[in-house]
Amino acid sequence: MIYDKKDFEGLRRVGRLAADTLDYITDFVSAGISTYDIDKIVAEYTKKHNAICAPLHYHGYPKNCCISVNDVICHGIPSKHEYLNDGDIVNIDITTILDGYYGDTSRMFLIGNVSERARELVDITYNSMMNAISICKPGVKLSEIGKIIQTMCEREGFSVVRDFCGHGTGKIFHDEPQVLHYYTKEAENTILKEGMVFTIEPMINTGDWQMYVEDNDWTARTIDGGLSAQFEHTIGITKNGVEIFTKSQRGLNKPPYKK
Ligand code: MF3
Ligand code: CO
Ligand code: CO
């Protein structure tokens, strides 16, 4: 799908609101809070700004956002029984709908004292996403995104999750194309064009990339119990480059977050 100038304005607005929501919850995300309470804060903030949390009831998903702690790769379901602890690394993924447009973004939050390896994982996951975004412009092969992320992360001994990918978005939550975070020959056949809107959302593990899904049908965990990190931006291809719709207005996209 190709989006025009007016669509880009809508995407800018929703992207900013989604980023503002993550900025807003940053002060609450610390040891002792439950993931259920974080989800509630996300829902309240979104409602207050006349927007909708896209995950709620999406294919039966039960909560307003996804909160994925440590070995959870993605789709962690907020729970009254899950409390954040010192040393945890946590991804919070929110998708906001405003005026029919989707803003899909996630960040890592580091709780207290986090191990050196976990910090390295979080850093490389962020840097690989940003490097991939930086090469996006009309004429570039979609395969370049996966290539750059895979090369960077595997060079440092990390692995790239295969079972989930980025996706076209805009007026539809999950649309074509699939944006793989590792290299494939097939992805060479898709060429970036002005007006394309999609997410880049690499999930990177300290151990192997293999995963399993819990009995709740959502929560994906690493098989070997290794840590997993993820960041996500929604971006649009412009005439000469790329625009990030979900950038933090407070410079909070990248940890460590100094308080
Ligand atoms: N926000 C996720 C993504 O990046 C999708 C979550 S779907 C849900 O695509 F149902 F789990 F919320
Ligand atoms: Co997404
Ligand atoms: Co998301």
Side-chain angles (χ1 to χ4, degrees):
M1 191 120 101
I2 295 297
Y3 291 93
D4 65 18
K5 210 172 144 197
K6 181 171 158 279
D7 297 321
F8 269 49
E9 275 166 26
L11 288 159
R12 230 166 259 145
R13 272 198 304 275
V14 69
R16 180 184 288 230
L17 178 57
D20 285 349
T21 308
L22 289 177
D23 286 354
Y24 177 73
I25 66 172
T26 301
D27 292 335
F28 300 94
V29 179
S30 56
I33 194 170
S34 72
T35 54
Y36 177 90
D37 281 334
I38 297 171
D39 186 76
K40 228 169 47 183
I41 297 167
V42 167
E44 282 164 6
Y45 189 90
T46 304
K47 190 163 180 221
K48 193 173 132 199
H49 291 84
N50 302 311
I52 295 163
C53 294
L56 188 63
H57 307 318
Y58 179 76
H59 292 284
Y61 187 77
K63 289 285 183 284
N64 301 284
C65 67
C66 299
I67 305 183
S68 302
V69 181
N70 295 332
D71 63 316
V72 177
I73 293 170
C74 63
H75 302 162
I77 301 176
S79 160
K80 276 184 177 162
H81 309 290
E82 182 178 44
Y83 290 85
L84 299 184
N85 292 304
D86 188 69
D88 285 345
I89 64 167
V90 183
N91 176 276
I92 302 181
D93 188 343
I94 70 162
T95 310
T96 307
I97 311 173
L98 185 67
D99 299 331
Y101 294 103
Y102 287 76
D104 189 5
T105 184
S106 82
R107 298 178 195 162
M108 295 302 293
F109 296 81
L110 307 181
I111 311 303
N113 290 309
V114 165
S115 75
E116 185 70 28
R117 190 65 176 156
R119 216 170 256 280
E120 282 170 12
L121 170 70
V122 168
D123 273 351
I124 200 140
T125 305
Y126 181 78
N127 292 336
S128 71
M129 173 187 70
M130 293 308 288
N131 275 357
I133 291 172
S134 73
I135 60 147
C136 289
K137 61 177 181 186
V140 169
K141 294 177 189 144
L142 189 66
S143 56
E144 293 299 313
I145 291 170
K147 192 195 276 178
I148 200 165
I149 292 168
Q150 182 174 27
T151 304
M152 260 186 91
C153 294
E154 290 186 354
R155 194 170 53 211
E156 303 296 327
F158 298 106
S159 67
V160 179
V161 169
R162 302 289 199 269
D163 300 86
F164 302 97
C165 56
H167 49 91
T169 190
K171 289 182 178 176
I172 295 168
F173 195 171
H174 294 110
D175 201 357
E176 295 298 311
Q178 292 194 15
V179 181
L180 304 184
H181 304 110
Y182 56 97
Y183 172 80
T184 65
K185 182 98 184 121
E186 301 87 273
E188 290 194 351
N189 299 326
T190 303
I191 309 293
L192 301 188
K193 277 192 200 59
E194 183 180 359
M196 284 175 76
V197 173
F198 56 90
T199 71
I200 300 183
E201 49 179 303
M203 284 143 274
I204 308 298
N205 299 350
T206 53
D208 289 329
W209 58 263
Q210 280 84 359
M211 63 110 201
Y212 71 95
V213 176
E214 282 184 21
D215 288 342
N216 64 24
D217 286 340
W218 285 101
T219 310
R221 286 184 191 269
T222 61
I223 283 196
D224 61 12
L227 295 173
S228 190
Q230 179 178 29
F231 287 87
E232 175 174 25
H233 270 316
T234 300
I235 66 175
I237 305 300
T238 60
K239 194 166 175 8
N240 299 306
V242 61
E243 177 171 348
I244 301 175
F245 296 124
T246 46
K247 222 178 214 161
S248 167
Q249 301 300 302
R250 281 170 51 195
L252 297 176
N253 278 117
K254 185 192 192 312
Y257 309 117
K258 298 249 173 357
K259 287 192 182 158

